[in-house]
Amino acid sequence: MNMRVLHIELKRSVAPWAGAAVLATALAFLYLISGSWWTGTNAWTAQWTSMALWTRSVLFYLWPLAVGLGALQGLRDHRSKMSELLTSTSRPARHRAATLAGTMAIALTAAFALLVLVGAVQVVANTGYTHLRWLPISLVGALSLVAGAVLGMGAARALPSVLVPPALAMGAFVFTVLMQMSLGRTETTTETGLPSTEPNRVSLLSPAVQDVRDALVTLSASVHVGQTIWLLAMTATGFALMVAATPRARLIALTPVLAGAVIALLVLPSDPRRIYVVDEAAAELVCDGPVCVTKTQQARLAGLAGPGKEALRLLHDTLGGQAPVSVRENATVRPEGSTPRWSRETLLFDFDDDLIAAERGDGLTRALIAKGMVPGCSPVGWSSFGTDEFAQTVAAAWVLGDLESLPATLPAGLRREVDAETRPVWKELKALPRAEQLSRIVAMHAAALSCKGDAFDALKGGASR
């Protein structure tokens, strides 16, 4: 396809409008709707992998849009009543089909590339950690738009009706939604006995991905391979339908997509733990003495090192041999709903933790002490506010000598609640002999690390187990 033909096709086809629609709606979704893609370390402009995954997540409606617009493009010859005229020309049907599909592919690929570029410019400004392992995620995303559009064209050629584009778009949208909500998820029970769901390999037939839970998580290589096979097969079927002239040829054209689905399901991982995996290179630790962060957050190490070392010193003065000896960003990604696992030797923290995120300097030292004493036992992925936070407040106060709500950015209402719950316990604790104070603190620390029992109850003199 030379430039003159491309120029003519761009003027005659809906391809430029399709590209504009994909880019505009994606940017509107990401910028105008408030969501988790704007907050924390896994924001869509914070890290390269997060950016690639978030731009893939909006394919739950961009892909149906591409399918519908492709079908609209596929009806062009039928609407202009030129089908019989074109079949009488000497130019092979596959040449015309390639020109039409190629124009749409170029427009959609350019639109998705611009979307990625918008995110990439901001990622460059927000992180010093650069890598190319995000690229396959985005390449598969662009391929999915092309495959959807070509399939839509082929379906509209095979069934030339004005009802086909909206029906295909709606069907594709229902498919992507079901893959994220029910058909693509398997019900499980967490360690805590709570019901949960996790993605299965059927969900990977959808080009959209789940929400990004952690900046260290990426898609495995087998996912990229399986999805590429499925999307190439979809493209082959769409192209074959575009050139098929008989009912028998149209039936044969379905062979690639059916075979591709079977092969893809054999390649895609059946174990959910092999779908989303930890990026080992990104999770590699960068340290300043006993204080370590992952490579993705290495720019924050300088601000963390001082408060981290001071927190370790104060904890050692308090707990002696039971105190942690290092501070480390938590690079372990556990299943959602599972019980956290803590180490006595290592103070683990997360930059997205409300206790850590907004603190600097002395406030960060207090927050790290609180995490070292009471790491928190809420199930992974769940948010709560209660006895763990009360125990953290009293424990940090006992180490530093003054009672202060944690974190300092708490709303006034919650600060009053924390003060009402912790001040009586704090006064009671301080009135005890030093040995009894230490006994309760040790009992609280043991309960907090094991997540067996109530740490705040142990501070009040109750059973720690």
Side-chain angles (χ1 to χ4, degrees):
M1 181 169 59
N2 58 41
M3 295 303 297
R4 180 172 174 273
V5 173
L6 175 62
H7 180 68
I8 294 172
E9 279 298 328
L10 286 174
K11 289 197 300 183
R12 296 175 62 227
S13 72
V14 301
W17 298 105
V22 165
L23 179 60
T25 55
L27 290 175
F29 184 92
L30 291 170
Y31 278 104
L32 301 181
I33 299 177
S34 178
S36 53
W37 48 88
W38 268 115
T39 59
T41 58
N42 59 340
W44 86 286
T45 57
Q47 298 291 338
W48 290 101
T49 300
S50 299
M51 180 272 294
L53 288 172
W54 279 120
T55 51
R56 278 282 299 273
S57 71
V58 297
L59 289 176
F60 81 92
Y61 76 90
L62 289 184
W63 187 71
L65 181 64
V67 172
L69 291 171
L72 183 64
Q73 179 63 46
L75 287 178
R76 185 181 68 181
D77 294 346
H78 177 73
R79 292 198 311 270
S80 59
K81 297 179 172 46
M82 294 178 57
S83 301
E84 292 185 6
L85 175 62
L86 291 173
T87 55
S88 65
T89 64
S90 58
R91 189 183 182 192
R94 64 180 181 275
H95 288 181
R96 296 195 303 272
T99 300
L100 193 62
T103 304
M104 183 67 82
I106 291 172
L108 291 176
T109 301
F112 194 75
L114 285 173
L115 173 64
V116 172
L117 181 61
V118 170
V121 169
Q122 297 173 85
V123 172
V124 169
N126 290 332
T127 182
Y129 179 62
T130 303
H131 62 93
L132 294 177
R133 293 183 300 280
W134 61 273
L135 199 54
I137 302 173
S138 294
L139 291 176
V140 172
L143 177 60
S144 70
L145 291 176
V146 174
V150 174
L151 183 65
M153 290 183 203
R157 286 286 182 91
L159 300 169
S161 167
V162 293
L163 299 178
V164 169
L168 282 179
M170 182 56 65
F173 181 70
V174 170
F175 171 74
T176 57
V177 170
L178 289 178
M179 288 299 100
Q180 289 193 317
M181 293 179 59
S182 57
L183 294 181
R185 299 189 71 85
T186 302
E187 292 188 5
T188 60
T189 302
T190 65
E191 297 173 0
T192 56
L194 299 172
S196 181
T197 62
E198 54 191 18
N200 55 39
R201 60 180 165 187
V202 176
S203 69
L204 299 176
L205 295 180
S206 168
V209 300
Q210 309 293 325
D211 289 351
V212 185
R213 277 185 48 210
D214 196 293
L216 300 177
V217 169
T218 187
L219 291 171
S220 65
S222 57
V223 172
H224 299 321
V225 174
Q227 289 184 329
T228 300
I229 292 172
W230 162 240
L231 294 171
L232 289 176
M234 188 186 298
T235 306
T237 287
F239 189 81
L241 286 173
M242 290 178 71
V243 300
T246 64
R248 183 171 180 270
R250 294 185 184 107
L251 286 175
I252 295 174
L254 299 177
T255 302
V257 74
L258 296 176
V262 173
I263 296 172
L265 288 174
L266 292 174
V267 173
L268 293 169
S270 58
D271 185 350
R273 292 171 297 183
R274 293 176 51 232
I275 295 176
Y276 291 93
V277 297
V278 175
D279 185 341
E280 298 295 343
E284 186 178 334
L285 295 178
V286 179
C287 300
D288 182 344
V291 181
C292 302
V293 298
T294 62
K295 274 192 172 181
T296 60
Q297 301 297 330
Q298 58 188 351
R300 303 173 75 165
L301 179 58
L304 179 72
K309 293 173 183 177
E310 178 65 9
L312 288 177
R313 183 187 68 79
L314 292 169
L315 286 171
H316 183 267
D317 291 345
T318 301
L319 298 175
Q322 297 186 52
V325 295
S326 63
V327 175
R328 192 180 76 204
E329 181 185 357
N330 193 356
T332 301
V333 180
R334 290 185 50 74
E336 189 167 359
S338 61
T339 302
R341 294 181 181 175
W342 306 114
S343 166
R344 184 185 62 79
E345 293 82 11
T346 304
L347 192 166
L348 296 173
F349 73 94
D350 191 324
F351 281 112
D352 285 332
D353 191 315
D354 291 339
L355 196 62
I356 303 295
E359 301 292 355
R360 299 291 185 274
D362 292 341
L364 183 55
T365 299
R366 178 180 288 268
L368 289 171
I369 289 171
K371 288 295 290 184
M373 298 290 274
V374 185
C377 291
S378 296
V380 175
W382 295 52
S383 60
S384 64
F385 186 87
T387 57
D388 278 345
E389 286 71 25
F390 301 153
Q392 287 173 342
T393 301
V394 176
W398 191 79
V399 173
L400 295 172
D402 63 310
L403 186 67
E404 184 178 313
S405 295
L406 288 166
T409 54
L410 275 177
L414 286 181
R415 290 176 70 85
R416 286 193 294 269
E417 180 183 351
V418 171
D419 187 70
E421 291 288 341
T422 59
R423 191 164 294 278
V425 178
W426 165 245
K427 289 181 178 179
E428 178 188 348
L429 183 66
K430 291 296 290 181
L432 295 172
R434 180 69 182 181
E436 179 61 22
Q437 292 181 34
L438 182 59
S439 175
R440 290 194 183 188
I441 289 292
V442 169
M444 174 213 67
H445 186 55
L449 288 179
S450 65
C451 288
K452 296 177 181 177
D454 191 311
F456 194 50
D457 188 50
L459 265 182
K460 293 186 288 187
S464 62
R465 295 180 180 275

